[in-house]
Amino acid sequence: APALLDVFIADGRLCLATTAAAGKPLAAWLELGKPIRLADALRVLRPAADALDCAHRGGLAHGALTPDRILIGPNAAVTVEDFGLGLLFPAAGCDPAYMAPEQERGRALPQSDSYTFGVVFYEMLTGRHPFEGVNLQAMRLEMRYTPPAQALAVVPPKLDALFAGLLAADPALRRPVPGSLGAALDGL
């Protein structure tokens, strides 16, 4: 388990600095470019959703969620690292490939984490990012991506609707609402 190194207040928020958790980043599996079965993706994403839901119910955003910050440790324990890093230190923020449209304008919200979660989930299932090409910003705003039902052989009926909600360009239209990612995954 990570050890506590320091406790401090930044921007009026209590921050804990710990040693790194043991584990291999999800990015190591995604680098292979191979799709991950839905059941296996859910085993990783359900605990990550719980961590995000807890923060979101408290009105906090991760602000820099990427596959590098989701660790899979011994006994398949999942840890989400670096909560608030992108908020406290914008230069260390989210990788542009995972960034929500509003983050490109310097705003990170709990809804931004939902968007990023959707990008990670899509990449896990298909082996690629939902938005690829020359003009990523336009693709994100116009929601030009291949729905999972067209990209995968077998998908639950609710999966396309979940991605349409997670990847909505407008944060006010993103679904599920912050704090209920885990419940949405359970519905699959």
Side-chain angles (χ1 to χ4, degrees):
L4 184 63
L5 299 174
D6 194 10
V7 177
F8 59 95
I9 305 256
D11 279 345
R13 296 183 183 191
L14 179 66
C15 299
L16 305 175
T18 65
T19 57
K24 186 175 181 179
L26 175 60
W29 279 275
L30 295 178
E31 285 174 0
L32 301 174
K34 296 180 183 174
I36 297 171
R37 292 179 329 145
L38 177 61
D40 295 331
L42 291 174
R43 273 194 281 285
V44 171
L45 290 178
R46 187 56 173 90
D50 287 343
L52 291 170
D53 284 345
C54 182
H56 295 166
R57 283 191 294 273
L60 302 174
H62 184 286
L65 186 67
T66 66
D68 285 320
R69 294 185 172 121
I70 299 173
L71 301 181
I72 304 166
N75 300 320
V78 175
T79 304
V80 178
E81 289 196 315
D82 299 334
F83 268 87
L85 182 68
L87 304 173
L88 293 172
F89 307 103
C94 196
D95 177 328
Y98 298 92
M99 193 177 287
E102 65 276 7
Q103 286 180 279
E104 294 174 359
R105 297 182 298 277
R107 258 180 93 203
L109 310 164
Q111 293 90 334
S112 308
D113 292 342
S114 297
Y115 182 94
T116 301
F117 185 89
V119 173
V120 171
F121 191 10
Y122 187 96
E123 184 179 8
M124 290 177 79
L125 294 179
T126 66
R128 47 188 285 224
H129 288 258
F131 305 105
E132 297 178 328
V134 178
N135 192 342
L136 287 178
Q137 189 174 25
M139 292 181 78
R140 289 178 182 142
L141 293 175
E142 296 168 12
M143 295 201 42
R144 282 190 275 151
Y145 69 96
T146 303
Q150 293 176 22
L152 304 169
V154 178
V155 297
K158 295 180 181 179
L159 196 60
D160 280 352
L162 177 61
F163 279 105
L166 290 171
L167 299 175
D170 182 346
L173 300 177
R174 286 202 195 114
R175 299 290 177 264
V177 295
S180 59
L181 277 173
L185 295 181
D186 291 344
L188 296 177

